[in-house]
Amino acid sequence: MTLAEVTREDVLQAIELYKNSGREEFLTEHESGKARHFFLIHEDAFFDSKAILKAAHLIGTGEVYGFSGGEAAAAPRLRKLGFDVVDVRDPEGGEAMQSLLDKGLQPGEIRTRAELAEIFGGGPQGGIVPSTATPTVLIYSDPKVGEELGYIDGWVPNDDSGPLFEYTGHGLMDQTFEGAGNKAIRDHAVQGRALRMFKAAGTVPNSGTVRHRYVGRFKLDEQRPFEVRWRPNKAHVMRKVIVFRLRPTGPFERLDADSIPPAGETQAVLVPADVTTSSLIDPENNTKKQGSRSAVPQIEFQRREAELDEEFRAFMQIRSHELMRFELKVKGLTSPMLTDLYDTTAHVLYELKGNIGRNAVRMAIGQLMDYRRHVNPSNPALAVLLPEEPHDDIKALLDDLGIALVYRAGSMFVGVPGLDH
């Protein structure tokens, strides 16, 4: 018996059985797992496509069909029978599925975790909860609990790309992408998952059960999906945290109470040199082919810059020069700025670029001029660090501005200020 024997009427009967039995019972009865990527959408409801086709085959032929392929194997036959089967990793299919899920909850509505699990799936604990029931990552923010742990979440002022919400990743010590939560947010686009944000909204009367207000559906910013910052944990131990930069992808609620307050004064704080976004690039993950929806930082550029950073720090350490960074908090602004390397021994502020193009060098010049106004001690010498020797006109530009040029030459670095060669 083959799938070609399954008719449209068989599928419709399977859908009715699914609706009458409920998802869990239906999947158990037909010994099928929950769909991860391929869903059948019919009359404003979604169904596990492989399980539906398996049940339809049993209805039509009286025999159990043994699938040799994964869930994708069901899609061609269902589509041939006139059904809409979407792959949530595809932009159009993903939006169709997420829009369907959106109908179950509107921004501003308040639910308990148990009630949210009925809509999206997900477990009862954790700040970052990847669902196994729907293509969703549920993200919870509770300022009363989180801020003393260094979790500072909220809206920041709009930029050129529109509204922006910052969310701190999981981990009481240096945060990485090794755990399931931070990795689920980072990889949500390639997995076809939506990020759904919830803010704590008190408790159920006469109960300790926390209620959560739905903020909206988000995705990672595609240009700068995350940053690394320096924050204390509950024991006042400083550690690296990942701050995800989230963009709304549908209706959302923006309350003043959810905004991160601006800095009350300008501060320049020295932080370790490895507090940097490029240090968290996963070379293995980033060699995979990524679609336009993937929010992985400009991979080759970032990797070259990370390698240059690491090599230069090792080069300077051997020569007894201490390299750190400044985290700059500017009065009236919410998000801090993180400089590139600062040589505390020679009082030199560096800006690194992964290529030697004119636009990259121009950007480095502007960044150095901006940062220099805020660092303490004041008036550092300025230097641009490049992976190789640039064009003579670039050299002349930097020389005219009084900015040192440092570049890699084999295993050495040329032009390092304050270094006895």
Side-chain angles (χ1 to χ4, degrees):
M1 298 296 186
T2 68
L3 292 178
E5 297 177 75
V6 176
T7 68
R8 181 176 176 85
E9 184 58 35
D10 295 333
V11 175
L12 290 173
Q13 287 187 47
I15 290 174
E16 286 303 312
L17 283 176
Y18 187 115
K19 290 192 290 188
N20 292 332
S21 301
R23 187 182 191 187
E24 297 294 337
E25 183 178 331
F26 182 87
L27 294 178
T28 299
E29 181 180 348
H30 294 281
E31 299 181 348
S32 296
K34 292 175 181 175
R36 294 180 58 203
H37 302 133
F38 290 87
F39 292 86
L40 186 157
I41 294 180
H42 181 69
E43 295 181 348
D44 286 338
F46 69 88
F47 306 88
D48 303 84
S49 58
K50 183 176 177 180
I52 287 290
L53 189 56
K54 190 174 181 180
H57 187 275
L58 180 61
I59 291 169
T61 67
E63 296 184 5
V64 176
Y65 184 81
F67 275 89
S68 58
E71 60 177 310
R77 181 56 184 166
L78 290 170
R79 288 170 178 155
K80 190 170 183 180
L81 293 173
F83 292 99
D84 185 13
V85 179
V86 301
D87 180 349
V88 295
R89 296 166 297 183
D90 173 74
E92 186 175 345
E95 181 59 31
M97 180 67 175
Q98 299 302 341
S99 295
L100 195 59
L101 288 171
D102 283 342
K103 294 181 179 180
L105 188 67
Q106 297 301 309
E109 294 186 11
I110 295 174
R111 298 286 191 277
T112 65
R113 285 206 186 207
E115 291 168 336
L116 291 172
E118 291 293 321
I119 303 172
F120 302 112
Q125 295 181 325
I128 305 171
V129 185
S131 172
T132 59
T134 65
T136 303
V137 180
L138 295 94
I139 303 175
Y140 295 95
S141 174
D142 187 347
K144 289 184 179 180
V145 176
E147 289 185 1
E148 67 176 8
L149 302 175
Y151 299 141
I152 301 173
D153 311 322
W155 295 101
V156 297
N158 291 8
D159 60 13
D160 291 342
S161 298
L164 179 64
F165 192 102
E166 292 187 347
Y167 180 80
T168 307
H170 175 74
L172 296 179
M173 302 307 290
D174 284 347
Q175 295 181 0
T176 68
F177 289 116
E178 294 179 2
N182 294 337
K183 187 176 181 181
I185 294 181
R186 184 195 66 182
D187 298 342
H188 81 96
V190 294
Q191 294 176 349
R193 295 174 179 264
L195 305 176
R196 286 187 161 83
M197 173 67 64
F198 301 88
K199 283 283 233 178
T203 59
V204 175
N206 303 315
S207 168
T209 301
V210 178
R211 301 191 302 176
H212 304 273
R213 174 170 46 83
Y214 184 42
V215 179
R217 174 159 55 100
F218 291 80
K219 68 175 182 178
L220 280 179
D221 180 76
E222 294 185 2
Q223 297 303 313
R224 288 167 51 207
F226 60 87
E227 296 180 348
V228 175
R229 295 182 188 158
W230 191 238
R231 289 181 185 161
N233 60 19
K234 190 174 183 178
H236 305 292
V237 176
M238 301 300 292
R239 94 284 199 196
K240 292 183 288 186
V241 300
I242 301 167
V243 177
F244 293 103
R245 306 177 75 249
L246 310 180
R247 303 283 184 184
T249 57
F252 62 93
E253 180 183 66
R254 182 169 187 163
L255 302 182
D256 289 342
D258 294 342
S259 295
I260 297 175
E265 59 180 350
T266 297
Q267 292 181 321
V269 179
L270 280 172
V271 302
D274 63 353
V275 178
T276 172
T277 300
S278 60
S279 69
L280 288 180
I281 290 178
D282 179 354
E284 181 179 352
N285 181 70
N286 288 340
T287 57
K288 298 175 183 177
K289 185 177 180 181
Q290 305 290 351
S292 61
R293 295 171 68 233
S294 176
V296 178
Q298 308 163 26
I299 299 166
E300 281 304 320
F301 172 81
Q302 289 274 359
R303 185 182 294 114
R304 289 198 301 268
E305 190 171 300
E307 291 172 352
L308 181 64
D309 178 288
E310 185 176 350
E311 291 175 14
F312 186 65
R313 283 193 281 133
F315 176 84
M316 296 295 277
Q317 183 178 17
I318 293 173
R319 289 156 180 81
S320 300
H321 277 240
E322 181 186 42
L323 297 183
M324 299 187 75
R325 302 182 194 275
F326 282 105
E327 186 175 74
L328 305 175
K329 298 179 181 178
V330 179
K331 181 179 180 179
L333 299 181
T334 55
S335 300
M337 298 183 291
L338 189 68
T339 73
D340 279 343
L341 298 173
Y342 170 66
D343 183 347
T344 66
T345 307
H347 192 38
V348 180
L349 184 63
Y350 287 87
E351 183 64 30
L352 283 66
K353 292 300 171 189
N355 68 79
I356 60 173
R358 185 175 296 273
N359 286 341
V361 174
R362 284 175 172 174
M363 179 177 291
I365 292 169
Q367 288 171 296
L368 286 170
M369 294 298 184
D370 186 12
Y371 298 152
R372 180 173 63 176
R373 299 176 304 124
H374 302 298
V375 302
N376 185 23
S378 60
N379 297 318
L382 304 180
V384 172
L385 176 58
L386 300 176
E388 58 186 297
E389 185 176 6
H391 189 275
D392 286 345
D393 192 54
I394 297 295
K395 294 181 183 179
L397 171 62
L398 293 171
D399 186 60
D400 286 348
L401 295 172
I403 298 175
L405 167 64
V406 181
Y407 60 89
R408 182 173 52 196
S411 61
M412 302 293 290
F413 285 88
V414 176
V416 181
L419 197 63
D420 295 329
H421 295 279

